[in-house]
Amino acid sequence: MKRYSGFNLVKNALNYNEHWQKVWRSPTPKERYDIIVVGGGGHGLATAYYLAKEHGITDIAVVEKGYLGGGNTGRNTTIIRSNYLWDEAAHLYELALKLWEGLSQELNYNVMFSQRGVLNLGHNLQDMRDIERRVNANRLNGIDGEVVSPRRIKEIAPLINISPNCRYPILGASWQPRGGVARHDAVAWGYARAADAMGVDILQQTEVTDISVKNGIVEGVETNKGFIRAQKIACVPAGNSGVVAGLAGLRLPVESRPLQALVSEPLKPCLDTVVMSNAVHGYVSQSDKGDLVIGAGVDGYNGYGQRGSFHVIEHTLQAICELFPAFSRVRMNRQWGGVVDTCPDACPIISKTSVEGLYFNCGWGTGGFKATPGSGFVFADTVANDRAHPLAKAFGLDRFNTGALIDEHGAAGVAH
Ligand SMILES: Cc1cc2nc3c(=O)[nH]c(=O)nc-3n(C[C@H](O)[C@H](O)[C@H](O)COP(=O)(O)OP(=O)(O)OC[C@H]3O[C@@H](n4cnc5c(N)ncnc54)[C@H](O)[C@@H]3O)c2cc1C
């Protein structure tokens, strides 16, 4: 075993990354690829990984305008659960949850998936009816879930206030023990490393500025590093999906809005689960570092700024203090924002488009991190076979014409 003296530590600090092994290559873009994936977030990288692994297609470039995971993947609060109301959504998120359960082994990279459970609180009769309906629906779909009493909630999260005399008394909750959190960056890095090892080119700092379409068929993308041809273009640009679709002359039924989150100073372990409340409107978990990871809903206006309004922060923290009065003395360390693209039915778009060879995976809104492996898996299948994967069928663009929307606003609620 190599020993490090104080001198070596200083030397390594100054040499900083000289001996670090690169986790993925930084290749020069080729003139042509079979498939270009636009967007190097978790979903784009997972798509490239499953295209290579499940479909043997390795002539792929993932084109990312910034750095990997620098979009919502690296900005989210990492809540993972699959307890959605409608069968279509429940099956899709449950596929993702099953993939999460083996992901560190699959990628040989620790994504720190921690199944510490997720509580969705109910504060009034209607909340509890909705919770019971959702838990029943989940169980019929083979998804774990229970309706739990305030007493049981207190056992799971001892610092929570279950007094019946507060403004929003807690009447019960849905509890999904298999839900939890993961390490967001690691998910991007793990998929990137595994995709790169199979020959996928990851092109960072490469922005798609135009999508070339001729006679209704894609030809390639214009980028700040030149034109790149491709037979198929799979777009996974999250908060920028409307803009990227516009490059090909398409209009998507999405709105882009800021969504913010914040973390506190690190604390000793005090919360060993994820607590969410639609009515009080906030959610909180504790990271392995000890900080409280806190968020709420989107800011109420459209925009592409990766920041949010102060009054939303204030409202979010009021909600957290309402649930956990002890947290009123905790200082907040950092706040940031991402841009999320939301569909009218709070469900994603995983779809072919009217342009041949052009596919979109977007509209995950405030809750797409949990779907990352499942989303990549079904989108890769959709792109490889030029038809919707059975689990993606209901999420096609045609639902906005047929009216077959899958309304997940109830299960999305505070929406993560
Ligand atoms: C504050 C916050 C909290 C959240 N909390 C949760 C949560 O707890 N649980 C949950 O499930 N979800 C959560 N989400 C939602 C989740 O983060 C997203 O749904 C998910 O990460 C989307 O992943 P992605 O890979 O599609 O997007 P991204 O990671 O945003 O990747 C898209 C990439 O496309 C790139 N791109 C865009 N345009 C171009 C272009 N023209 N050329 C090249 N590249 C381009 C972007 O730079 C970006 O890196 C949260 C989001 C935010 C902002």
mmCIF file of all heavy atoms in Angstrom, residues 133-166:
data_model
loop_
_atom_site.group_PDB
_atom_site.id
_atom_site.type_symbol
_atom_site.label_atom_id
_atom_site.label_comp_id
_atom_site.label_asym_id
_atom_site.label_seq_id
_atom_site.Cartn_x
_atom_site.Cartn_y
_atom_site.Cartn_z
ATOM 1 N N ARG A 133 -56.477 6.023 -2.067
ATOM 2 C CA ARG A 133 -56.736 5.612 -3.452
ATOM 3 C C ARG A 133 -55.405 5.287 -4.165
ATOM 4 O O ARG A 133 -55.275 4.287 -4.856
ATOM 5 C CB ARG A 133 -57.442 6.762 -4.169
ATOM 6 C CG ARG A 133 -57.767 6.469 -5.588
ATOM 7 C CD ARG A 133 -58.470 7.648 -6.209
ATOM 8 N NE ARG A 133 -58.719 7.375 -7.606
ATOM 9 C CZ ARG A 133 -58.705 8.305 -8.534
ATOM 10 N NH1 ARG A 133 -58.455 9.558 -8.226
ATOM 11 N NH2 ARG A 133 -58.932 7.986 -9.784
ATOM 12 N N ARG A 134 -54.427 6.135 -3.938
ATOM 13 C CA ARG A 134 -53.141 5.945 -4.619
ATOM 14 C C ARG A 134 -52.438 4.689 -4.104
ATOM 15 O O ARG A 134 -51.923 3.887 -4.884
ATOM 16 C CB ARG A 134 -52.257 7.189 -4.442
ATOM 17 C CG ARG A 134 -50.963 7.141 -5.208
ATOM 18 C CD ARG A 134 -50.353 8.520 -5.384
ATOM 19 N NE ARG A 134 -50.282 9.278 -4.149
ATOM 20 C CZ ARG A 134 -49.383 9.102 -3.194
ATOM 21 N NH1 ARG A 134 -48.440 8.177 -3.348
ATOM 22 N NH2 ARG A 134 -49.380 9.839 -2.101
ATOM 23 N N VAL A 135 -52.452 4.494 -2.790
ATOM 24 C CA VAL A 135 -51.783 3.307 -2.232
ATOM 25 C C VAL A 135 -52.484 2.039 -2.725
ATOM 26 O O VAL A 135 -51.828 1.059 -3.101
ATOM 27 C CB VAL A 135 -51.736 3.369 -0.684
ATOM 28 C CG1 VAL A 135 -51.314 2.035 -0.091
ATOM 29 C CG2 VAL A 135 -50.772 4.474 -0.236
ATOM 30 N N ASN A 136 -53.826 2.066 -2.777
ATOM 31 C CA ASN A 136 -54.548 0.893 -3.299
ATOM 32 C C ASN A 136 -54.150 0.630 -4.744
ATOM 33 O O ASN A 136 -53.910 -0.515 -5.139
ATOM 34 C CB ASN A 136 -56.069 1.108 -3.225
ATOM 35 C CG ASN A 136 -56.568 1.009 -1.788
ATOM 36 O OD1 ASN A 136 -55.908 0.393 -0.951
ATOM 37 N ND2 ASN A 136 -57.692 1.625 -1.491
ATOM 38 N N ALA A 137 -54.106 1.690 -5.535
ATOM 39 C CA ALA A 137 -53.734 1.541 -6.953
ATOM 40 C C ALA A 137 -52.315 0.986 -7.057
ATOM 41 O O ALA A 137 -52.038 0.091 -7.864
ATOM 42 C CB ALA A 137 -53.833 2.883 -7.669
ATOM 43 N N ASN A 138 -51.418 1.478 -6.226
ATOM 44 C CA ASN A 138 -50.024 1.008 -6.250
ATOM 45 C C ASN A 138 -49.957 -0.479 -5.937
ATOM 46 O O ASN A 138 -49.285 -1.246 -6.617
ATOM 47 C CB ASN A 138 -49.158 1.760 -5.232
ATOM 48 C CG ASN A 138 -48.963 3.226 -5.562
ATOM 49 O OD1 ASN A 138 -48.671 4.035 -4.700
ATOM 50 N ND2 ASN A 138 -49.138 3.583 -6.812
ATOM 51 N N ARG A 139 -50.692 -0.873 -4.906
ATOM 52 C CA ARG A 139 -50.614 -2.292 -4.502
ATOM 53 C C ARG A 139 -51.187 -3.200 -5.575
ATOM 54 O O ARG A 139 -50.682 -4.292 -5.805
ATOM 55 C CB ARG A 139 -51.296 -2.483 -3.152
ATOM 56 C CG ARG A 139 -50.452 -1.802 -2.060
ATOM 57 C CD ARG A 139 -51.171 -1.742 -0.768
ATOM 58 N NE ARG A 139 -51.199 -3.046 -0.132
ATOM 59 C CZ ARG A 139 -50.762 -3.294 1.090
ATOM 60 N NH1 ARG A 139 -50.225 -2.323 1.795
ATOM 61 N NH2 ARG A 139 -50.845 -4.488 1.607
ATOM 62 N N LEU A 140 -52.241 -2.723 -6.250
ATOM 63 C CA LEU A 140 -52.782 -3.524 -7.359
ATOM 64 C C LEU A 140 -51.738 -3.660 -8.468
ATOM 65 O O LEU A 140 -51.751 -4.614 -9.234
ATOM 66 C CB LEU A 140 -54.046 -2.872 -7.911
ATOM 67 C CG LEU A 140 -55.280 -3.009 -7.006
ATOM 68 C CD1 LEU A 140 -56.426 -2.151 -7.529
ATOM 69 C CD2 LEU A 140 -55.713 -4.466 -6.913
ATOM 70 N N ASN A 141 -50.842 -2.685 -8.561
ATOM 71 C CA ASN A 141 -49.778 -2.735 -9.573
ATOM 72 C C ASN A 141 -48.516 -3.409 -9.050
ATOM 73 O O ASN A 141 -47.465 -3.352 -9.695
ATOM 74 C CB ASN A 141 -49.446 -1.315 -10.048
ATOM 75 C CG ASN A 141 -50.380 -0.882 -11.162
ATOM 76 O OD1 ASN A 141 -50.767 -1.698 -12.001
ATOM 77 N ND2 ASN A 141 -50.750 0.392 -11.171
ATOM 78 N N GLY A 142 -48.599 -4.002 -7.864
ATOM 79 C CA GLY A 142 -47.440 -4.707 -7.312
ATOM 80 C C GLY A 142 -46.360 -3.776 -6.775
ATOM 81 O O GLY A 142 -45.215 -4.173 -6.594
ATOM 82 N N ILE A 143 -46.749 -2.529 -6.507
ATOM 83 C CA ILE A 143 -45.782 -1.550 -5.987
ATOM 84 C C ILE A 143 -45.975 -1.442 -4.477
ATOM 85 O O ILE A 143 -47.119 -1.345 -4.001
ATOM 86 C CB ILE A 143 -45.997 -0.183 -6.677
ATOM 87 C CG1 ILE A 143 -45.633 -0.305 -8.154
ATOM 88 C CG2 ILE A 143 -45.211 0.926 -5.991
ATOM 89 C CD1 ILE A 143 -46.035 0.880 -8.990
ATOM 90 N N ASP A 144 -44.875 -1.443 -3.736
ATOM 91 C CA ASP A 144 -44.995 -1.421 -2.275
ATOM 92 C C ASP A 144 -45.580 -0.095 -1.800
ATOM 93 O O ASP A 144 -45.284 0.962 -2.354
ATOM 94 C CB ASP A 144 -43.631 -1.662 -1.624
ATOM 95 C CG ASP A 144 -42.621 -0.578 -1.971
ATOM 96 O OD1 ASP A 144 -42.579 -0.170 -3.152
ATOM 97 O OD2 ASP A 144 -41.899 -0.136 -1.080
ATOM 98 N N GLY A 145 -46.393 -0.158 -0.769
ATOM 99 C CA GLY A 145 -46.978 1.062 -0.213
ATOM 100 C C GLY A 145 -47.905 0.718 0.922
ATOM 101 O O GLY A 145 -48.514 -0.353 0.941
ATOM 102 N N GLU A 146 -47.975 1.638 1.876
ATOM 103 C CA GLU A 146 -48.901 1.456 3.007
ATOM 104 C C GLU A 146 -49.477 2.812 3.354
ATOM 105 O O GLU A 146 -48.818 3.834 3.122
ATOM 106 C CB GLU A 146 -48.142 1.044 4.275
ATOM 107 C CG GLU A 146 -47.516 -0.282 4.323
ATOM 108 C CD GLU A 146 -46.652 -0.395 5.590
ATOM 109 O OE1 GLU A 146 -47.126 -0.084 6.700
ATOM 110 O OE2 GLU A 146 -45.488 -0.784 5.428
ATOM 111 N N VAL A 147 -50.660 2.806 3.974
ATOM 112 C CA VAL A 147 -51.162 4.033 4.585
ATOM 113 C C VAL A 147 -50.770 3.944 6.057
ATOM 114 O O VAL A 147 -51.059 2.935 6.705
ATOM 115 C CB VAL A 147 -52.693 4.144 4.442
ATOM 116 C CG1 VAL A 147 -53.193 5.415 5.114
ATOM 117 C CG2 VAL A 147 -53.081 4.126 2.966
ATOM 118 N N VAL A 148 -50.076 4.949 6.555
ATOM 119 C CA VAL A 148 -49.594 4.866 7.941
ATOM 120 C C VAL A 148 -50.215 5.961 8.803
ATOM 121 O O VAL A 148 -50.587 7.029 8.315
ATOM 122 C CB VAL A 148 -48.038 4.930 8.016
ATOM 123 C CG1 VAL A 148 -47.411 3.660 7.472
ATOM 124 C CG2 VAL A 148 -47.491 6.152 7.306
ATOM 125 N N SER A 149 -50.292 5.683 10.105
ATOM 126 C CA SER A 149 -50.923 6.596 11.066
ATOM 127 C C SER A 149 -49.894 7.632 11.535
ATOM 128 O O SER A 149 -48.682 7.437 11.375
ATOM 129 C CB SER A 149 -51.380 5.790 12.280
ATOM 130 O OG SER A 149 -50.221 5.275 12.925
ATOM 131 N N PRO A 150 -50.385 8.708 12.183
ATOM 132 C CA PRO A 150 -49.441 9.703 12.732
ATOM 133 C C PRO A 150 -48.433 9.064 13.698
ATOM 134 O O PRO A 150 -47.263 9.440 13.724
ATOM 135 C CB PRO A 150 -50.354 10.693 13.453
ATOM 136 C CG PRO A 150 -51.668 10.580 12.746
ATOM 137 C CD PRO A 150 -51.776 9.146 12.291
ATOM 138 N N ARG A 151 -48.899 8.091 14.456
ATOM 139 C CA ARG A 151 -48.005 7.429 15.412
ATOM 140 C C ARG A 151 -46.836 6.727 14.702
ATOM 141 O O ARG A 151 -45.682 6.820 15.121
ATOM 142 C CB ARG A 151 -48.817 6.401 16.163
ATOM 143 C CG ARG A 151 -48.422 6.328 17.600
ATOM 144 C CD ARG A 151 -49.337 5.399 18.168
ATOM 145 N NE ARG A 151 -48.818 4.807 19.361
ATOM 146 C CZ ARG A 151 -49.631 4.294 20.226
ATOM 147 N NH1 ARG A 151 -50.918 4.336 20.026
ATOM 148 N NH2 ARG A 151 -49.144 3.737 21.302
ATOM 149 N N ARG A 152 -47.187 6.033 13.634
ATOM 150 C CA ARG A 152 -46.146 5.334 12.854
ATOM 151 C C ARG A 152 -45.204 6.353 12.181
ATOM 152 O O ARG A 152 -43.998 6.146 12.113
ATOM 153 C CB ARG A 152 -46.836 4.437 11.812
ATOM 154 C CG ARG A 152 -45.899 3.748 10.856
ATOM 155 C CD ARG A 152 -45.265 2.492 11.467
ATOM 156 N NE ARG A 152 -44.315 1.885 10.545
ATOM 157 C CZ ARG A 152 -42.996 1.901 10.694
ATOM 158 N NH1 ARG A 152 -42.434 2.472 11.744
ATOM 159 N NH2 ARG A 152 -42.219 1.325 9.791
ATOM 160 N N ILE A 153 -45.786 7.467 11.734
ATOM 161 C CA ILE A 153 -44.966 8.526 11.112
ATOM 162 C C ILE A 153 -43.934 9.032 12.125
ATOM 163 O O ILE A 153 -42.768 9.235 11.809
ATOM 164 C CB ILE A 153 -45.862 9.689 10.618
ATOM 165 C CG1 ILE A 153 -46.778 9.213 9.498
ATOM 166 C CG2 ILE A 153 -45.022 10.878 10.150
ATOM 167 C CD1 ILE A 153 -47.871 10.199 9.121
ATOM 168 N N LYS A 154 -44.399 9.211 13.353
ATOM 169 C CA LYS A 154 -43.506 9.698 14.428
ATOM 170 C C LYS A 154 -42.378 8.687 14.696
ATOM 171 O O LYS A 154 -41.253 9.070 15.004
ATOM 172 C CB LYS A 154 -44.348 9.932 15.685
ATOM 173 C CG LYS A 154 -43.643 10.605 16.806
ATOM 174 C CD LYS A 154 -43.573 12.104 16.636
ATOM 175 C CE LYS A 154 -42.891 12.764 17.825
ATOM 176 N NZ LYS A 154 -42.419 14.118 17.521
ATOM 177 N N GLU A 155 -42.702 7.395 14.548
ATOM 178 C CA GLU A 155 -41.635 6.392 14.740
ATOM 179 C C GLU A 155 -40.596 6.505 13.612
ATOM 180 O O GLU A 155 -39.397 6.374 13.828
ATOM 181 C CB GLU A 155 -42.222 4.982 14.691
ATOM 182 C CG GLU A 155 -42.912 4.568 15.966
ATOM 183 C CD GLU A 155 -43.745 3.292 15.755
ATOM 184 O OE1 GLU A 155 -43.579 2.594 14.724
ATOM 185 O OE2 GLU A 155 -44.573 3.023 16.621
ATOM 186 N N ILE A 156 -41.088 6.753 12.412
ATOM 187 C CA ILE A 156 -40.178 6.807 11.256
ATOM 188 C C ILE A 156 -39.358 8.108 11.272
ATOM 189 O O ILE A 156 -38.176 8.106 10.944
ATOM 190 C CB ILE A 156 -40.986 6.700 9.934
ATOM 191 C CG1 ILE A 156 -41.728 5.357 9.860
ATOM 192 C CG2 ILE A 156 -40.081 6.856 8.720
ATOM 193 C CD1 ILE A 156 -42.750 5.274 8.741
ATOM 194 N N ALA A 157 -40.027 9.216 11.655
ATOM 195 C CA ALA A 157 -39.354 10.526 11.657
ATOM 196 C C ALA A 157 -39.618 11.199 12.998
ATOM 197 O O ALA A 157 -40.516 12.035 13.126
ATOM 198 C CB ALA A 157 -39.889 11.385 10.505
ATOM 199 N N PRO A 158 -38.825 10.856 14.026
ATOM 200 C CA PRO A 158 -39.170 11.285 15.394
ATOM 201 C C PRO A 158 -39.264 12.801 15.598
ATOM 202 O O PRO A 158 -39.967 13.248 16.496
ATOM 203 C CB PRO A 158 -38.030 10.692 16.246
ATOM 204 C CG PRO A 158 -37.491 9.560 15.441
ATOM 205 C CD PRO A 158 -37.671 9.940 14.003
ATOM 206 N N LEU A 159 -38.597 13.594 14.778
ATOM 207 C CA LEU A 159 -38.640 15.043 15.021
ATOM 208 C C LEU A 159 -39.898 15.717 14.470
ATOM 209 O O LEU A 159 -40.129 16.897 14.682
ATOM 210 C CB LEU A 159 -37.410 15.720 14.393
ATOM 211 C CG LEU A 159 -36.079 15.551 15.119
ATOM 212 C CD1 LEU A 159 -34.979 16.289 14.382
ATOM 213 C CD2 LEU A 159 -36.167 16.054 16.554
ATOM 214 N N ILE A 160 -40.712 14.961 13.748
ATOM 215 C CA ILE A 160 -41.882 15.580 13.103
ATOM 216 C C ILE A 160 -42.938 15.947 14.143
ATOM 217 O O ILE A 160 -43.044 15.290 15.191
ATOM 218 C CB ILE A 160 -42.455 14.638 12.017
ATOM 219 C CG1 ILE A 160 -43.200 15.429 10.955
ATOM 220 C CG2 ILE A 160 -43.328 13.552 12.621
ATOM 221 C CD1 ILE A 160 -43.421 14.633 9.684
ATOM 222 N N ASN A 161 -43.685 17.007 13.856
ATOM 223 C CA ASN A 161 -44.715 17.466 14.781
ATOM 224 C C ASN A 161 -46.057 16.825 14.415
ATOM 225 O O ASN A 161 -46.631 17.155 13.383
ATOM 226 C CB ASN A 161 -44.809 18.994 14.692
ATOM 227 C CG ASN A 161 -45.870 19.551 15.618
ATOM 228 O OD1 ASN A 161 -46.317 18.862 16.544
ATOM 229 N ND2 ASN A 161 -46.268 20.783 15.375
ATOM 230 N N ILE A 162 -46.552 15.914 15.262
ATOM 231 C CA ILE A 162 -47.853 15.289 14.943
ATOM 232 C C ILE A 162 -48.957 15.816 15.874
ATOM 233 O O ILE A 162 -50.012 15.188 16.008
ATOM 234 C CB ILE A 162 -47.787 13.744 14.998
ATOM 235 C CG1 ILE A 162 -47.271 13.265 16.354
ATOM 236 C CG2 ILE A 162 -46.973 13.172 13.858
ATOM 237 C CD1 ILE A 162 -47.596 11.807 16.626
ATOM 238 N N SER A 163 -48.708 16.954 16.484
ATOM 239 C CA SER A 163 -49.741 17.515 17.364
ATOM 240 C C SER A 163 -51.016 17.789 16.564
ATOM 241 O O SER A 163 -50.953 18.347 15.466
ATOM 242 C CB SER A 163 -49.231 18.822 17.974
ATOM 243 O OG SER A 163 -50.333 19.565 18.433
ATOM 244 N N PRO A 164 -52.193 17.418 17.111
ATOM 245 C CA PRO A 164 -53.448 17.717 16.388
ATOM 246 C C PRO A 164 -53.806 19.198 16.455
ATOM 247 O O PRO A 164 -54.728 19.647 15.805
ATOM 248 C CB PRO A 164 -54.488 16.860 17.120
ATOM 249 C CG PRO A 164 -53.906 16.565 18.453
ATOM 250 C CD PRO A 164 -52.412 16.677 18.360
ATOM 251 N N ASN A 165 -53.048 19.953 17.236
ATOM 252 C CA ASN A 165 -53.426 21.354 17.442
ATOM 253 C C ASN A 165 -52.684 22.338 16.531
ATOM 254 O O ASN A 165 -52.790 23.533 16.704
ATOM 255 C CB ASN A 165 -53.153 21.748 18.904
ATOM 256 C CG ASN A 165 -53.993 20.892 19.833
ATOM 257 O OD1 ASN A 165 -55.138 20.589 19.512
ATOM 258 N ND2 ASN A 165 -53.409 20.467 20.944
ATOM 259 N N CYS A 166 -51.876 21.827 15.603
ATOM 260 C CA CYS A 166 -51.153 22.786 14.750
ATOM 261 C C CYS A 166 -52.012 23.165 13.534
ATOM 262 O O CYS A 166 -53.094 22.616 13.325
ATOM 263 C CB CYS A 166 -49.788 22.249 14.349
ATOM 264 S SG CYS A 166 -49.898 20.759 13.413
#
